[in-house]
Amino acid sequence: GWGRDPGNTRFQPEPGLGPADLPRLTLRWAFAFPRTASAYGQPALVDGRIYAGSDAGFVYALDAATGCVHWSFQARAGVRTAMSVGPLPGHAGHRRAVYFGDASANVYALDADTGALLWSDHPEPHPLARITGSPTLHEGRLYVPVSSYEEAQGADPQYACCTFRGSVSAVDAATGAVIWKTYMITGDQ
């Protein structure tokens, strides 16, 4: 996962850099995200590749040493989540997948080596749903938090407010099938 451990501590117990190393750092390479204003989610570094998404909906696999693009993938909407990279259940060997969500509440699994789409699902049908929290992989399940941008509709007097209640879905990491889903607020929408 992207936060170093299931607790998302982001703490490095044995960092490779110390304060004395900082003056010696130099730029090795740079990557400009095409057709985009920004990149939001934290990239993931796994096996010499950097996986990152952009608000234009592109996900890239970059060579960590050179910055060269191995592959790119166009999602259906902007990508604001971090990339979760892990083993693909049910496949022998060293096959990995890149998991992420987009601003239209779609969740994806891509082959980490090729960028080929393995599966995609839409676990929340609300029209204003989106995935901005990073999907987390654990023991063959992908936990997908779903939020919305319903608050932006509050200025519209014709909008029937407060129909979204937030959810988390557990998804089979191998197939994309929703195993269970729970809402953050009880009751009907």
Side-chain angles (χ1 to χ4, degrees), residues 87-184:
L88 187 62
H91 294 276
H94 192 66
R95 190 163 181 205
R96 294 183 188 271
V98 179
Y99 303 95
F100 63 95
D102 73 16
S104 291
N106 300 298
V107 62
Y108 302 83
L110 306 180
D111 185 298
D113 289 333
T114 67
L117 178 66
L118 300 172
W119 56 259
S120 176
D121 194 25
H122 189 73
E124 176 57 58
H126 192 282
L128 298 175
R130 64 184 180 168
I131 300 172
T132 56
S134 300
T136 300
L137 183 64
H138 183 68
E139 296 183 359
R141 288 188 181 179
L142 189 66
Y143 296 90
V144 181
V146 182
S147 61
S148 80
Y149 54 100
E150 186 176 44
E151 68 279 1
Q153 298 300 314
D156 181 356
Q158 303 302 312
Y159 183 73
C161 181
C162 310
T163 60
F164 184 80
R165 53 193 174 138
S167 66
V168 174
S169 294
V171 174
D172 183 316
T175 66
V178 174
I179 299 166
W180 56 256
K181 178 177 176 178
T182 188
Y183 290 97
M184 301 296 99

Side-chain angles (χ1 to χ4, degrees), residues 18-46:
D21 298 314
L22 296 182
R24 295 190 314 246
L25 295 179
T26 59
L27 180 65
R28 179 176 285 179
W29 57 264
F31 179 77
F33 287 91
R35 295 184 299 265
T36 187
S38 58
Y40 289 102
Q42 181 176 338
L45 172 62
V46 178

